[in-house]
Amino acid sequence: MNPPSSLLRILLLICVAFFLCMGLAHFSGLKWPVLFVYFDTPYYAYQDKIISFTLITYASLFFAASRHLIVVPYALISIWGTVLGLSAVNLSSALRTVLENQGTLPYWLQTVSFAALAAVLTLLYLREKETAA
């Protein structure tokens, strides 16, 4: 199996570190913006423990993608799915209920950041796939 280019591999490994840090923040209850998307909403420790375990899956998937180009599309599906999921939450009436008239701009900024990351990874992958053909 072919590995990704150096640039794509480095970005995927940065994602691994980020997801592990995010998982640690959720496991520990550290509600820091960026590591905790909905940092100022009610905190349910059991839910955040579950989220922390799912982030191990993300980190593992992105690590595998950093080693094998054939895995990259699956990592891209997962991050684009995250962008869609966060967007749905940001638009939901359930979120508006817990925000008590606060805006959703901080969550949209983080969602857009994930989308930008997903776009960069997608473009690098497509460029790499095109040059390999």
Side-chain angles (χ1 to χ4, degrees):
M1 284 191 214
N2 295 335
S5 66
S6 295
L7 177 59
L8 182 54
R9 186 175 67 245
I10 289 167
L11 288 175
L12 291 165
L13 289 172
I14 289 169
C15 289
V16 170
F18 174 71
F19 291 133
L20 290 174
C21 290
M22 191 180 232
L24 184 60
H26 275 271
F27 188 82
S28 305
L30 302 172
K31 294 185 74 164
W32 296 342
V34 179
L35 294 179
F36 215 111
V37 176
Y38 301 98
F39 60 92
D40 59 352
T41 60
Y43 174 76
Y44 300 102
Y46 75 95
Q47 291 174 336
D48 290 313
K49 298 279 191 272
I50 294 167
I51 292 167
S52 72
F53 302 137
T54 63
L55 286 160
I56 293 169
T57 306
Y58 269 72
S60 299
L61 177 59
F62 277 72
F63 181 75
S66 77
R67 308 219 358 129
H68 306 288
L69 189 62
I70 197 168
V71 180
V72 173
Y74 303 101
L76 294 174
I77 290 168
S78 72
I79 197 162
W80 282 113
T82 298
V83 169
L84 293 174
L86 290 173
S87 297
V89 170
N90 293 345
L91 294 169
S92 72
S93 60
L95 180 61
R96 282 192 301 275
T97 301
V98 299
L99 289 180
E100 300 174 355
N101 297 322
Q102 294 180 62
T104 58
L105 180 62
Y107 317 128
W108 279 112
L109 292 174
Q110 292 180 84
T111 301
V112 168
S113 296
F114 276 110
L117 173 61
V120 167
L121 292 173
T122 300
L123 291 173
L124 287 173
Y125 172 72
L126 291 174
R127 185 181 74 179
E128 192 161 323
K129 188 177 170 190
E130 187 177 285
T131 59

